[in-house]
Amino acid sequence: MFDYLKGATKIHRTEYAYWRFKHFHINHVMLPYSGFVLSVIPIYLLFGYFDYQHLQADAWIATVTRFVFSFLCVALLLILKRYSPKHLDLAELTLVLCVYWSLTYIGQMAMEQGDFNYQSGGILVMAYIGALSRLPFKASLFGLSFMALCYVVMITPMRLEHDFAEEVDRLSIVIGIYFICLIACLRRESETHKSFQQFCQIRSQQLKLRASQSKLALQTVTDPLTELKNRLYLTQNASLLIQNAKQSDKTLSLLMIDIDNFKSINDSYGHQVGDNVIFGVAQIIRQHCGRYTGMNIRYGGEEFLSVFYCFDKDQLLSVAESILTDVAKLYWPDKDLRVTVSIGAAIDEFNAADIKALTLNELIGQGDSALYRAKKSGKNCIETN
């Protein structure tokens, strides 16, 4: 009991937590066990056989009552299960109470005909709530209390007049079953809360694991120094890049960018300064190319690759000129250091339907050749294929 009260206090602490528990209760408790509600309908109908033994001429009323409630129970539960699961608990409670009332009403009919031995069937409905139902505790408490009240109001007065001692004994059994079922419902609710807490823990662990996997996957294709993508990313996405170029009916183009005299920078100022230079150049490449492509790759130690499928030759050279100009503006005053880059531009200008287009590797090879010519031409310049 105390476990349930503590669990309920924690779960209902916030509105979000309440609706999260409600969603869990519907999808993991009510829906999987909704079939048990239907399983008791045949039992309810089979007792119609005894109606003819106890009610005789009025047995048809009891039979019609049983079939009407059975049909409503099956139809309503199937409809709600498919279209509105959030109302399953209310529907089950309503139907259980209607079934109990019908049994009590049939028992009352039997007493009016002088038969005082046909009023105990409602105990089975109380047992159903305690054993098979997965109703929330509050709903179970209301249902059991309603049943006990129905029995006391509709059955007890007439039976007390007929046989006081026997009815006192029956009433004590009804009250005993009421409390036993109530305790069973309380224990079930406590177990539901524990299951919900375990579900939340497992779900939280799954989300953390998924986030860690996504982070790890991103790290494997990201260069840690520049935060640009690495060559593994290029390998994994090359086919997608070519597919996008074909779908957009654009030529594929690229820039191969290499920092001039980088070895001498490392030798003269150390690797820390060299890393700062690489990072600075990478940020300029990201600034000028990031809006056009996600393919900004740290291709080698001091070499970068940017791939586009939305540029013609003039646009490609314009971006290359911007990179060349802004890199030349980089300055490290404590080292009195400035750097430049050489750029090889390559564009697949023969991407017509009747001419074989270049593969990405072939285009990279042409860009690399253009970069080599830029280096041979005195560096800090742009060459094209």
Side-chain angles (χ1 to χ4, degrees), residues 1-4 130-131 134 137 179-195:
M1 180 181 294
F2 292 110
D3 288 343
Y4 162 70
R134 287 300 183 268
F137 175 73
F179 282 106
I180 290 174
C181 291
L182 199 63
I183 293 171
C185 294
L186 193 61
R187 184 184 67 177
R188 181 176 67 225
E189 184 82 349
S190 174
E191 291 172 351
T192 301
H193 280 271
K194 291 179 181 178
S195 298

Side-chain angles (χ1 to χ4, degrees), residues 22 33 104 112 272 370:
K22 186 76 173 176
Y33 287 92
T104 307
E112 290 174 353
Q272 182 65 51

Side-chain angles (χ1 to χ4, degrees), residues 119-249:
Q119 293 81 41
S120 302
I123 292 177
L124 296 177
V125 183
M126 298 177 73
Y128 163 80
I129 288 185
L132 292 179
S133 174
R134 287 300 183 268
L135 287 170
F137 175 73
K138 291 181 179 179
S140 301
L141 173 62
F142 176 81
L144 290 169
S145 299
F146 175 86
M147 294 176 191
L149 183 62
C150 278
Y151 184 87
V152 170
V153 172
M154 298 177 67
I155 302 296
T156 299
M158 296 178 67
R159 285 193 57 81
L160 285 175
E161 292 180 3
H162 176 261
D163 190 333
F164 183 87
E166 184 181 357
E167 178 56 21
V168 169
D169 183 58
R170 283 197 179 200
L171 190 59
S172 65
I173 293 175
V174 171
I175 294 174
I177 291 177
Y178 169 83
F179 282 106
I180 290 174
C181 291
L182 199 63
I183 293 171
C185 294
L186 193 61
R187 184 184 67 177
R188 181 176 67 225
E189 184 82 349
S190 174
E191 291 172 351
T192 301
H193 280 271
K194 291 179 181 178
S195 298
F196 174 67
Q197 292 171 355
Q198 293 173 354
F199 171 81
C200 290
Q201 292 174 354
I202 294 173
R203 180 63 176 164
S204 177
Q205 292 172 354
Q206 289 175 337
L207 292 175
K208 289 179 180 178
L209 179 60
R210 190 178 302 172
S212 298
Q213 290 173 337
S214 299
K215 185 177 180 181
L216 181 61
L218 183 62
Q219 288 176 342
T220 59
V221 296
T222 303
D223 176 60
L225 174 60
T226 63
E227 297 183 356
L228 300 180
K229 297 298 188 290
N230 57 25
R231 291 185 69 168
L232 176 61
Y233 180 86
L234 175 65
T235 302
Q236 292 177 346
N237 293 273
S239 59
L240 179 62
L241 193 71
I242 295 173
Q243 181 181 351
N244 289 337
K246 289 180 179 179
Q247 290 177 348
S248 61
D249 196 25

